[in-house]
Amino acid sequence: MHVLGGSASTTLAERVSRELGNAPFAIPFRKRFPDGELYVRVGGSFEGQDVVIVQSIRADADLVELFLLQDAVRESGARRVWVVIPYFGYSRQDRRFFPGEPVSARAIARRAELDADAVITVDLHSPLNRGIFQRPLHEASGIPAIARLLRERPVDLLVSPDKGGVDRVRRMGEILGKPWIGLEKKRIDSERVELYFPPGGPDVRGKHVILVDDVISTGGTIVESAKLLRQRGAEAVVATCTHGLFLKDAFERIKAVTDDIFATDTVENPVERASVAPDIAAILLRELAIDPSTSASVSPNLRAEVARS
Ligand code: R5P
């Protein structure tokens, strides 16, 4: 198996290859032509091989690079192409909200899976996203990676900033054996939200509260959630998310109202302290039917992860 790191996910791709017992890893050559077009080249032949391309879709250019890499890998004779899209951008437009709009998530998924035998992603935005793929889709979660870090710190209550994140926070609650709640969120526009505490919700006074979200984008959701929890007397508020986009001054604004903040490495960001590499590698091992207990080269970290799952 070979692992290729697209420019949006080089670090994570290398971590995945390490988790797979140092599977051959490469960063494709890329340059821009004078007219701005992207050029990529993958080294050597992949005749008969399983090739894993890791590339998050954060910016439009990431998509073009992904499509070119998929084509190059197919042209190089790969037996199977595994497309890992740790952060699947465009997933929030998972339905037509107004006439004339596309279902952007579906449009992107259809093209991304054209040259893929299977797609692996992490914490899709909503269950609707799962139905848009026609190829086999495997979804890892950032929740176990974040939970691994939270085991080392005080946690009294886990909080999802909205109802859409309740499944994730419930899962975190089950892993850590801690109570959880979902706040109520009203979105005003793409940058402004209002947060409400659920009627009859628990007393948060003096508690260490962990916010658990799938994506932090402008930071509006986390900032307003943290303020609400502080107003209600929380002693400490820690913000966590799977996909840390931290647009504009989001990072500074969140830091001002929380005690700590961390994210996974699905998107390169300043607080990527939890890695989803073992979770992605576990899916690849399972799908390729490699037994981690008999493969001496598989990392002990991953062996433990597969044993747990
Ligand atoms: C919303 O449904 C998501 O789960 C996130 O809460 C949201 O996308 C975060 O966006 P922002 O950081 O811009 O408030």
Side-chain angles (χ1 to χ4, degrees):
M1 187 195 314
H2 291 254
V3 180
L4 294 181
S7 64
S9 299
T10 313
T11 311
L12 175 56
E14 192 168 10
R15 287 178 186 148
V16 170
S17 90
R18 262 190 263 132
E19 290 291 336
L20 293 168
N22 294 323
F25 166 72
I27 300 172
F29 174 77
R30 61 193 290 283
K31 70 170 184 181
R32 293 248 168 224
F33 288 113
D35 59 3
E37 284 183 6
L38 181 63
Y39 169 91
V40 300
R41 190 168 68 238
V42 296
S45 155
F46 296 121
E47 202 62 51
Q49 301 280 328
D50 280 289
V51 181
V52 181
I53 303 171
V54 188
Q55 171 78 332
S56 275
I57 300 172
R58 182 177 174 166
D60 294 351
D62 300 334
L63 274 171
V64 177
E65 183 177 335
L66 175 63
F67 300 156
L68 297 181
L69 288 175
Q70 287 171 277
D71 199 73
V73 167
R74 278 265 188 250
E75 285 292 318
S76 299
R79 182 168 76 106
R80 282 184 298 195
V81 182
W82 300 81
V83 174
V84 180
I85 308 176
Y87 172 62
F88 185 74
Y90 286 90
S91 59
R92 281 174 282 181
Q93 181 78 16
D94 57 7
R95 70 198 84 173
R96 202 165 56 107
F97 296 94
F98 296 102
E101 290 180 347
V103 180
S104 308
R106 186 183 60 204
I108 302 299
R110 280 185 182 165
R111 284 148 189 83
E113 63 185 359
L114 268 181
D115 266 318
D117 290 279
V119 177
I120 298 175
T121 188
V122 184
D123 280 341
L124 281 168
H125 179 63
S126 75
L128 275 182
N129 290 151
R130 295 183 193 123
I132 58 181
F133 289 87
Q134 286 161 350
R135 300 262 180 201
L137 172 75
H138 306 284
E139 187 181 358
S141 173
I143 293 297
I146 295 169
R148 289 192 279 272
L149 277 183
L150 289 177
R151 281 187 202 285
E152 294 153 20
R153 55 170 73 219
V155 176
D156 296 316
L157 180 67
L158 303 162
V159 176
S160 166
D162 54 39
K163 296 287 175 212
V166 153
D167 282 349
R168 280 182 290 269
V169 80
R170 181 190 298 122
R171 182 162 179 211
M172 179 84 87
E174 284 164 4
I175 295 174
L176 296 175
K178 299 288 179 186
W180 57 269
I181 58 165
L183 301 180
E184 280 159 28
K185 178 164 91 174
K186 185 170 156 206
R187 186 163 279 290
I188 313 294
D189 58 32
S190 57
E191 301 212 5
R192 289 180 305 149
V193 289
E194 285 172 5
L195 269 297
Y196 305 94
F197 204 75
D203 186 357
V204 299
R205 277 176 297 180
K207 292 195 171 152
H208 286 78
V209 181
I210 314 293
L211 282 163
V212 181
D213 208 348
D214 61 333
V215 47
I216 296 180
S217 183
T218 67
T221 300
I222 288 291
V223 167
E224 293 309 315
S225 304
K227 282 188 196 162
L228 180 65
L229 292 163
R230 285 224 186 274
Q231 278 159 16
R232 297 184 75 95
E235 185 181 325
V237 180
V238 172
T240 72
C241 69
T242 301
H243 311 296
L245 303 182
F246 302 115
L247 305 182
K248 299 191 223 167
D249 58 349
F251 194 63
E252 300 311 317
R253 287 170 43 238
I254 296 169
K255 257 171 67 178
V257 292
T258 58
D259 296 273
D260 199 0
I261 169 164
F262 57 86
T264 77
D265 52 359
T266 58
V267 173
E268 297 190 356
N269 69 78
V271 286
E272 45 165 83
R273 302 216 300 265
S275 181
V276 294
D279 309 273
I280 292 172
I283 291 175
L284 286 163
L285 285 185
R286 188 189 67 213
E287 293 305 309
L288 292 165
I290 297 172
D291 180 353
S293 62
T294 57
S295 174
S297 55
V298 167
S299 81
N301 195 7
L302 177 56
R303 205 168 288 139
E305 190 55 38
V306 173
R308 260 200 300 276
S309 68

